[in-house]
Amino acid sequence: MLSVPTSEAVRNLEGSRFELLEFLADLEHLVTIESPSADHDAVARSAVVLSDVIEHRLGRRPETLRIDGVDHVVLQGRDSRVLLLGHHDTVWPIGSLAELPFTVDGGVIRGPGCFDMLVGVVQIVHALAMLRARHGDGVLDQVTVLVTGDEEVGSVTSRALIESRATGCRAALVLEAAGPGGALKTERKGVSLYELEVLGRAAHSGLEPERGINATVGVAHLVIALAALADPAVGTTVTPTLMSSGTTGNTVPDRATVAVDVRATTIAEQERVDTAMRELRLGVEGATLVVHGGVNRPPLEAAASADLFARAAALAADLGHPPLVGMAVGGASDGNFTAGAGVATLDGLGAVGGGAHARDEHAEVSAIQPRTELLAALVRDLISDGS
């Protein structure tokens, strides 16, 4: 169990300095390069800019690891105890800046990806810069910074990298955006993603529909059955989403698909739904069901974050911040992977604001310095505590 700190960790920040204008300049560089996940060239350009920022602020050039065309940025400590985790890809396509330019006005930052999660990425760099200014380069030997390039599309190429870099660390701190009011994310549901494919037989729907096997009818049976798999009492949701069927209006459809999004608070619930998904029946004679997909991310359960949250709350009090609040959320992050690997994980340490993936995406300027100071204090406390 991680011990709760004393104010010594806060005193260790004395002599370091936070420069808001420099922070905002680094943030502008990252927001204005634009880095939609599906555009690997754009993500590669973002990785270069991020590497430049890290080298300028920390005096070390990170490594860029390209996996299946996706660039991930890693600054690996020689004796790493803490993993600082973020992503530099966004959901916004190239050209979004024309409609949603980077601005700082009235204490509010706007721009594509600022809240989710480029403010958090810059927090990592500036928190470490504060610690380096006070304690020297040795601080960097005890942390690993990993900023991935495909989190918004499921971390397909980065999952193994995340889990391997978390191995041996005593804590993973995830700089995803905070919850409402700055709440830290102490629980995240696990995610399972499926595509159910119904295969039938085509026929002319007017001349001889009886010769067909109707995949649309089969998928309709599935959608009704899927609703019964949810368990609201324990927080398990099973949501049919994208559905398609058929080729023309006068043909019995021979193929239909439905995508299913499953969220659950425990691994046991994920396994229950997975088993039930593979036992579904179509109710259409002759049709075949093929189940694609499965568990995507394990849950971040409360036990994985409890000790770190207590530590962060004590540090926040020492820093004179308002009391920290924790919350459970349905959305997943790369912190699900670190928690699933058995590493203590605390999420939501990044930007305070709102509008993730929406036109009103924004971050509050007033929260940046206190959140960065809290991160610096938490990192310092974790690497200096021998417990």
Side-chain angles (χ1 to χ4, degrees):
M1 180 174 289
L2 302 174
S3 63
V4 175
T6 69
S7 58
E8 180 64 26
V10 177
R11 290 194 293 271
N12 279 326
L13 296 182
E14 294 174 358
S16 60
R17 185 177 64 179
F18 177 84
E19 294 288 353
L20 180 60
L21 292 181
E22 293 180 3
F23 186 106
L24 294 175
D26 291 343
L27 177 62
E28 183 174 9
H29 287 318
L30 286 175
V31 172
T32 56
I33 199 66
E34 297 190 291
S35 54
S37 308
D39 188 332
H40 291 181
D41 289 339
V43 172
R45 291 191 295 271
S46 174
V48 172
V49 171
L50 175 57
S51 296
D52 290 344
V53 169
I54 291 173
E55 184 175 27
H56 177 63
R57 298 297 177 195
L58 302 181
R60 295 185 183 182
R61 185 84 183 172
E63 182 180 8
T64 297
L65 299 179
R66 180 166 293 175
I67 304 174
D68 294 337
V70 182
D71 282 13
H72 313 291
V73 177
V74 184
L75 186 67
Q76 178 68 50
R78 288 191 290 268
D79 183 24
S80 182
R81 309 192 77 203
V82 177
L83 174 65
L84 298 174
L85 188 56
H87 64 87
H88 65 106
D89 63 312
T90 75
V91 300
W92 296 95
I94 295 293
S96 297
L97 281 168
E99 293 185 46
L100 305 169
F102 178 84
T103 61
V104 183
D105 184 42
V108 177
I109 302 164
R110 298 188 186 276
C114 65
F115 179 67
D116 184 15
M117 60 163 290
L118 297 176
V119 165
V121 171
V122 181
Q123 278 181 235
I124 292 173
V125 179
H126 281 254
L128 292 180
M130 293 172 67
L131 292 176
R132 177 174 176 251
R134 177 67 176 84
H135 302 285
D137 282 348
V139 169
L140 302 181
D141 293 331
Q142 299 178 76
V143 299
T144 293
V145 176
L146 173 56
V147 185
T148 64
D150 66 349
E151 192 274 345
E152 295 289 5
V153 289
S155 305
V156 175
T157 74
S158 59
R159 176 174 183 171
L161 178 62
I162 293 164
E163 292 171 338
S164 67
R165 298 305 164 110
T167 300
C169 289
R170 67 195 310 249
L173 306 178
V174 186
L175 273 294
E176 288 282 1
L184 300 189
K185 296 172 180 178
T186 52
E187 295 180 70
R188 284 187 180 272
K189 289 185 179 181
V191 180
S192 302
L193 301 174
Y194 298 90
E195 182 184 67
L196 304 185
E197 181 182 23
V198 181
L199 301 175
R201 184 170 63 233
H204 194 292
S205 59
L207 295 178
E208 46 187 7
E210 69 282 357
R211 295 192 59 176
I213 298 174
N214 198 314
T216 296
V217 175
V219 82
H221 280 277
L222 284 181
V223 170
I224 300 301
L226 286 168
L229 299 184
D231 188 348
V234 295
T236 301
T237 60
V238 180
T239 308
T241 55
L242 181 66
M243 186 166 68
S244 67
S245 179
T247 54
T248 69
N250 60 353
T251 303
V252 174
D254 64 352
R255 181 178 182 272
T257 64
V258 59
V260 188
D261 182 304
V262 179
R263 308 283 168 136
T265 58
T266 66
I267 292 174
E269 270 295 280
Q270 286 184 302
E271 292 174 345
R272 177 190 69 79
V273 172
D274 187 76
T275 298
M277 194 79 68
R278 299 176 194 283
E279 294 176 347
L280 288 169
R281 296 293 178 263
L282 290 170
V284 175
E285 186 176 354
T288 300
L289 172 63
V290 182
V291 178
H292 304 280
V295 174
N296 173 260
R297 299 174 194 256
L300 165 56
E301 299 188 38
S305 64
D307 291 335
L308 281 174
F309 180 79
R311 179 180 290 259
L315 286 167
D318 283 345
L319 286 164
H321 296 177
L324 285 182
V325 175
M327 68 179 299
V329 296
S333 81
D334 288 337
N336 291 64
F337 294 139
T338 59
V343 178
T345 300
L346 186 60
D347 203 340
L349 287 157
V352 177
H357 299 192
R359 292 180 61 85
D360 66 338
E361 181 173 13
H362 65 280
E364 298 174 10
V365 174
S366 62
I368 288 175
Q369 180 169 347
R371 302 287 281 198
T372 306
E373 289 176 343
L374 175 62
L375 178 63
L378 185 53
V379 170
R380 175 61 186 173
D381 193 63
L382 287 165
I383 65 178
S384 62
D385 183 359
S387 64

